[in-house]
Amino acid sequence: MSPRHRARRRRHRPLRTSLFTLVAAVAAAFALTLGTGGGQLVARPSATAPAAGTGSPSATAAAPPEASTRAARTVGQAVADAGADAEGAVAVSVLDLGSGVTAGSELPGPDATGADADGSAPAADAEGGATGGGHAFITASIVKADILAALLRQSGTALGAAQRAQAEAMIEQSDNDAAGELYEAIGGADGLDEANRAFGLTGTTAGRDGYWGLTTTTTEDQLRLLRVIFTDESPLDADDRAYLQDLMGLIAQDQAWGVSAAAGPDGTAKLKNGWLSRSADGLWAVNSIGLVTRDGHDLLVAVLSDGNSTEESGISLVESVAVAAVEALVGGGTD
């Protein structure tokens, strides 16, 4: 199926979340490899992590290393439990804007080609980048947030009426025709790659020949993109960021699944989702990125997955992993 396929109407599916227990030991200050489940988790302290607040928070000091180590332990174990039955690969990165603590985990899936002999994922360094061939995920429609950020960087909020209508359709309804038009407007793959260099994305490569949905990325890069959108550590000005944030808060109800599940009943979310059936094998890539507010915490969350047998199973996995990571970070990783 082409990455330009039309987004289909769907109902928000109820969350199915696995229970998890926290472990009390950590193998090293910044990394801990799980057992046969193949999970690799790594603490990712940020040099200038943004502070909590509404709108676009300002930068603040980095989280203490021990807080990030604790976050790595709790988030990693929670995600390993939540993703124990994953059919393919799944990865998550989460950043608490108030504390500056960031952590992530990757489960490479049963058919991982880059796994070590013991089945674990390739190691990641302390800055969150893969050092041994970490899994690259296709973006599907989450790249639409990136396309609009690139367009705003070029044009600012002085977009014409036609482009504003296309931007709103692309984000709120995940309209693919609008995405194709705006992808061309920013210069296609070359334009997106150039914007992503300015945004600090180091592991993202734009899809060629107009196939924006085949852009490849990592959860770490998606956190960097979310910081461009939701904090003032950004080449976008305040009006540009507010415009994109507002659109991500107006997602059509039938597409409001994903990281929004981690907000809980009293929280809020601004997000963009992506879903795509690969033509080669019929398996699904299902992704979700956004800002989640839960229990007084503002969190940036990115979950990427592939190898799902159905769209529904991918959504259930993404939601379960998002909830597990956020609950672990809020409840046990930032104290």
Side-chain angles (χ1 to χ4, degrees):
M1 183 179 294
S2 167
R4 304 182 193 186
H5 71 293
R6 279 282 183 186
R8 295 177 295 165
R9 289 283 183 183
R10 65 176 347 273
R11 296 179 181 175
H12 179 57
R13 295 181 63 85
L15 170 70
R16 290 174 284 178
T17 308
S18 301
L19 296 177
F20 61 87
T21 56
L22 303 180
V23 294
V26 61
F30 288 103
L32 171 66
T33 300
L34 301 178
T36 58
Q40 179 73 30
L41 57 123
V42 59
R44 298 177 183 127
S46 170
T48 52
T54 57
S56 296
S58 300
T60 188
E66 60 271 18
S68 292
T69 300
R70 184 164 57 249
R73 181 172 65 244
T74 56
V75 170
Q77 184 61 52
V79 169
D81 290 342
D85 296 325
E87 299 165 309
V90 61
V92 59
S93 290
V94 57
L95 166 65
D96 187 320
L97 292 176
S99 67
V101 171
T102 180
S105 180
E106 180 175 321
L107 303 177
D111 299 323
T113 58
D116 295 331
D118 63 357
S120 63
D125 63 28
E127 296 300 320
T131 61
H135 192 82
F137 295 85
I138 62 167
T139 58
S141 285
I142 61 169
V143 77
K144 292 169 181 173
D146 198 5
I147 292 172
L148 183 52
L151 181 67
L152 291 170
R153 176 176 172 268
Q154 290 180 357
S155 306
T157 45
L159 299 179
Q163 284 192 329
R164 291 181 75 88
Q166 289 171 331
E168 290 160 15
M170 177 177 70
I171 301 299
E172 296 176 21
Q173 303 292 333
S174 204
D175 185 275
N176 293 327
D177 291 339
E181 293 290 334
L182 295 181
Y183 195 54
E184 183 176 349
I186 65 170
D190 290 341
L192 188 63
D193 282 339
E194 192 276 331
N196 283 339
R197 286 191 290 272
F199 296 157
L201 277 61
T202 59
T204 298
T205 302
R208 313 305 294 184
D209 301 321
Y211 288 98
W212 43 263
L214 298 184
T215 297
T216 57
T217 193
T218 64
T219 56
E220 293 89 351
D221 261 10
Q222 290 306 299
L223 275 195
R224 294 181 182 109
L225 176 63
L226 290 171
R227 290 176 71 159
V228 167
I229 297 170
F230 288 104
T231 82
D232 64 8
E233 293 181 334
S234 174
L236 303 182
D237 67 27
D239 288 340
D240 294 338
R241 296 194 305 271
Y243 177 63
L244 184 43
Q245 291 169 26
D246 287 347
L247 295 187
M248 292 176 70
L250 296 172
I251 299 298
Q253 184 59 37
D254 60 351
Q255 298 176 24
W257 44 268
V259 297
S260 55
D266 300 319
T268 61
K270 297 182 178 182
L271 73 156
K272 186 69 192 79
N273 295 327
W275 59 102
L276 174 66
S277 176
R278 302 301 301 270
S279 58
D281 54 19
L283 298 178
W284 286 83
V286 179
N287 307 318
S288 186
I289 62 170
L291 171 73
V292 171
T293 300
R294 181 187 179 113
D295 298 336
H297 294 257
D298 292 331
L299 305 113
L300 303 181
V301 187
V303 185
L304 307 177
S305 75
D306 62 21
N308 302 289
S309 61
T310 65
E311 181 184 0
E312 289 74 16
S313 66
I315 291 171
S316 179
L317 174 65
V318 164
E319 291 187 331
S320 294
V321 166
V323 170
V326 166
E327 287 186 346
L329 194 66
V330 170
T334 61
D335 294 339

